[in-house]
Amino acid sequence: MSFDYDLFVIGGGSGGVRAARVAAAGGAKVALAEEDRYGGTCVIRGCVPKKLMVFASEYAEMADDARAYGWDLENKGFDWDHFKTKLHSELDRLEGIYRNLLKNAGVESFDARATLADPHTVTLSDGSTKTAKHILIATGGRPWVPEFTGAELAITSNEIFHLDKLPESILIVGGGYIASEFAGIMNGLGVKTAQYYRGAQILRGFDDEARGLVAEEMIQSGIDLKLGTNVLEMHREGDKIRVKASNGDESLFDQVMFATGRKPNADDLGLEALGIERGRGGEIVVDQYSQTAVPSVYAIGDVTDRVNLTPVAIREGMAFVETVFNGNPTSPDHELIPTAIFTQPEMGTIGLSEERAAEQETIEVYSTSFKPMQQAFAGRAQRVLMKLIVSQATRKVLGCHIVAPGAGEMIQLVGIAVKMGATKEDFDRTVAVHPTMSEELVTLKSPVRTL
Ligand code: NDP
């Protein structure tokens, strides 16, 4: 049987674009459909604009610190219009790059929504159909807001980059990556920021000591973080939103942003009719090679809800191409993934938290918290944390947790050592780079506790 293409990719985000390009570079005839903008969540409404907003929001503190160092600076405030215009032209430029990458790789792209008609056929929103030997679903996810009275007044991370003006006050709901990052961003930009989280501490699942320090520093920097607190209902009141909280508080905010998790974009794709299985959260169920219950259909990235990070989706896309087009069955490696949370202060982490590791075996915890030189000189009370979790039996570093400016950059490099199976003694025999914050990771003398 002959097909129009060897591969049809649905979704032009990080994972889909990479898989399409690599398959095409290997000689496959590839097409890709994207209903929205090329680049997907990460480039258009996630990592990239978020990080640029983090940068923007950090300059207020930097200006204060510069003054403490003797610079004569005048801070006349932040111009949202200026930043927003520049931000969106940068996103346009990046989208253009993504389109060109596909074009130059020989991938045919369709600005259309695609749904599955049968195991080898997709229907595009213009009514045309295309056949392919393999179909790859890489449709990502979208923000999810729970149902309650006034939920329609909430914005999500999709809208935050498009605000007409910066609000005077904002409430951010949730305690995950997105909520905690945007609380820092908004606070840094000078917006009066509150964050409500229903649980006992933000960033559930991460090392307790690390997330405790992040929360403490966020509060110190002026964020009104309320734990054990959720939104009950919201009502429009003039140009403000009245929020009734579970702790009995009633407050007015200009904007309320919900960052209460994301859902896979797997509805209305025609999956059910084909017998493609979906999990409890609506994600597409795949095996270790990203193959669905229908052998010609694969899925990668957030739509499969494995580890929802851009570099992981890219890896899953490459492993798919290796498996399907290079005859070399390869499963993406989901172990020991370093990651950063761009809160203020930033957190970088790899491996097991102290709590998880202690459930598994006897561990030694090496940890130090101190005031970094640069900020201490400027008169800030801010502390950083450098922490290693070590297996007592094998001496291997099972986890590393850093809370510090630049923690994302640090954990990328520590990640190599941890992934290689470095022991505490390997860290110890590495000479310190002085004076830095991360040198503490190689000079941690004795455990603070053994569990
Ligand atoms: P998360 O799943 O990380 O967090 C969702 C938060 O919302 C949790 O605090 C959760 O609470 C809370 N929540 C869930 N349901 C409700 C509810 N009904 N009412 C109140 N609160 C609720 O999702 P995010 O949206 O923050 O991020 C999505 C994913 O995007 C992340 O998992 C991550 O993989 C990725 N991401 C990565 C980034 C990075 O690498 N720096 C940055 C941004 C996103 P509870 O803890 O109690 O369940």
Side-chain angles (χ1 to χ4, degrees), residues 1 13-14 75 119 121 131 178 186 197 212 220 233 244 272 290 307 314 364 402 412 420 426:
M1 189 173 168
S14 306
N75 179 359
T121 308
T131 61
I178 298 180
M186 287 293 147
Y197 171 52
Q220 280 301 319
E233 51 187 77
K244 268 194 200 175
E272 287 71 16
S290 302
V307 180
I314 289 172
E364 290 177 1
I402 303 174
Q412 178 69 82
M420 288 175 76
D426 289 326

Side-chain angles (χ1 to χ4, degrees), residues 76-369:
K76 291 187 176 166
F78 176 68
D79 182 343
W80 171 249
D81 286 336
H82 172 99
F83 173 75
K84 192 177 136 186
T85 306
K86 217 163 165 201
L87 173 70
H88 288 285
S89 65
E90 176 63 2
L91 301 184
D92 292 345
R93 187 182 74 83
L94 292 173
E95 182 179 10
I97 289 176
Y98 267 72
R99 281 184 184 272
N100 276 336
L101 284 172
L102 288 171
K103 199 169 140 209
N104 296 342
V107 176
E108 196 174 340
S109 50
F110 297 96
D111 291 356
R113 181 175 168 78
T115 53
L116 279 83
D118 71 40
H120 294 283
T121 308
V122 297
T123 306
L124 298 182
S125 40
D126 64 9
S128 64
T129 58
K130 311 284 171 199
T131 61
K133 187 162 187 223
H134 303 284
I135 296 171
L136 179 67
I137 305 172
T139 45
R142 61 182 186 283
W144 171 83
V145 178
E147 277 176 28
F148 62 95
T149 306
E152 71 286 354
L153 300 172
I155 59 165
T156 69
S157 56
N158 280 354
E159 290 79 42
I160 195 93
F161 305 111
H162 296 275
L163 296 175
D164 289 335
K165 63 183 176 71
L166 210 54
E168 273 172 34
S169 63
I170 192 166
L171 168 65
I172 295 179
V173 183
Y177 281 78
I178 298 180
S180 305
E181 291 180 339
F182 272 97
I185 289 170
M186 287 293 147
N187 183 54
L189 293 178
V191 178
K192 197 167 170 287
T193 304
Q195 182 180 358
Y196 291 175
Y197 171 52
R198 65 182 178 179
Q201 185 55 281
I202 58 167
L203 300 173
R204 183 165 61 83
F206 292 99
D207 186 86
D208 276 357
E209 196 178 0
R211 65 201 185 113
L213 179 56
V214 171
E216 199 182 302
E217 294 289 341
M218 284 170 67
I219 293 166
Q220 280 301 319
S221 69
I223 296 166
D224 181 15
L225 173 63
K226 288 203 163 65
L227 300 171
T229 305
N230 214 346
V231 170
L232 293 179
E233 51 187 77
M234 308 202 301
H235 300 276
R236 167 74 56 205
E237 197 165 303
D239 53 7
K240 301 214 180 272
I241 301 167
R242 177 171 291 278
V243 177
K244 268 194 200 175
S246 57
N247 64 357
D249 276 6
E250 272 199 36
S251 314
L252 289 171
F253 297 95
D254 291 325
Q255 293 284 359
V256 179
M257 173 177 145
F258 268 67
T260 42
R262 297 176 59 86
K263 288 272 179 272
N265 283 330
D267 299 338
D268 309 320
L269 278 176
L271 303 180
E272 287 71 16
L274 262 68
I276 293 177
E277 195 190 340
R278 293 177 63 186
R280 278 178 54 197
E283 74 279 11
I284 298 178
V285 176
V286 291
D287 70 7
Q288 58 174 328
Y289 301 113
S290 302
Q291 192 173 29
T292 70
V294 173
S296 57
V297 180
Y298 289 72
I300 55 162
D302 287 8
V303 76
T304 62
D305 194 21
R306 287 177 279 180
V307 180
N308 298 335
L309 298 170
T310 289
V312 176
I314 289 172
R315 296 261 167 155
E316 289 169 356
M318 311 251 287
F320 155 78
V321 174
E322 197 58 24
T323 302
V324 174
F325 291 96
N326 299 343
N328 175 26
T330 303
S331 32
D333 179 2
H334 290 120
E335 295 301 315
L336 286 174
I337 294 171
T339 178
I341 305 141
F342 295 99
T343 39
Q344 297 174 37
E346 212 167 291
M347 178 161 139
T349 179
I350 181 166
L352 298 177
S353 65
E354 176 179 337
E355 297 69 35
R356 285 282 300 284
E359 283 168 12
Q360 195 172 288
E361 60 182 294
T362 305
I363 54 160
E364 290 177 1
V365 178
Y366 295 82
S367 166
T368 179
S369 183

Side-chain angles (χ1 to χ4, degrees), residues 54-69 71 73 75 374-375 378 380:
V54 169
F55 289 142
S57 70
E58 285 174 339
Y59 283 105
E61 261 198 4
M62 281 185 206
D64 289 345
D65 288 358
R67 260 182 244 115
Y69 272 82
W71 287 93
L73 294 182
N75 179 359
Q374 187 182 5
Q375 288 76 10
R380 281 192 193 284

